Amino acid sequence: MNTYLDLAVKQAARSRCRYRVGAVLAKGGRILAHSSNRYRNAPSTDFHHATFHAEEVLLRRTRSARGAVVYVARVSKNGTPALARPCPRCQRALAADGVIRALYTTPTGAGSLRLS
Ligand SMILES: [Zn+2]
């Protein structure tokens, strides 16, 4: 499997959220940012915005994502890769910041999505 995707899996494994997702933003062989998804408030406060998606954390940490590729991974409870296709909101945010492609884990390997 792809090295950056492997790194995204490691990030996902560090997540303390219920759905464990990790992401790596890379451009020209260089890593711009990496993170797992994170809690932003208690679910009782605002259930639908209880977490920052991993992709959102990357964009908040990166000055320019133009031309970059994002690698997104999710791991299940037993640590195996699960479907991590970016959600529509993250797809829009990534495309708006110039990220050209997303590669993500699936239960059987990897998927790819063209963004902008
Ligand atoms: Zn998302």
Side-chain angles (χ1 to χ4, degrees):
M1 201 192 272
N2 184 290
T3 312
Y4 289 136
L5 208 49
D6 284 339
L7 194 58
V9 169
K10 287 200 179 78
Q11 294 296 314
R14 293 174 55 192
S15 173
R16 290 184 291 138
C17 300
R18 184 152 57 111
Y19 290 98
R20 297 192 295 163
V21 181
V24 172
L25 192 65
K27 182 181 174 179
R30 215 167 63 85
I31 293 172
L32 303 177
H34 57 82
S35 183
S36 63
N37 54 343
R38 309 177 76 88
Y39 279 113
R40 66 195 284 183
N41 57 248
S44 55
T45 306
D46 180 355
F47 179 76
H48 291 291
H49 300 94
T51 62
F52 285 118
H53 289 188
E55 304 94 311
E56 293 178 297
V57 178
L58 299 189
L59 293 179
R60 290 163 62 91
R61 286 181 181 173
T62 308
R63 204 175 305 144
S64 172
R66 197 147 297 282
V69 175
V70 70
Y71 300 82
V72 190
R74 182 159 75 88
V75 294
S76 62
K77 278 198 188 78
N78 60 20
T80 58
L83 185 63
R85 192 175 206 267
C87 71
R89 193 181 72 207
C90 284
Q91 285 185 33
R92 281 193 298 275
L94 291 162
D97 279 22
V99 178
I100 53 175
R101 181 176 284 280
L103 289 164
Y104 53 89
T105 56
T106 71
T108 54
S112 173
L113 187 67
R114 196 188 166 94
L115 294 166
S116 58

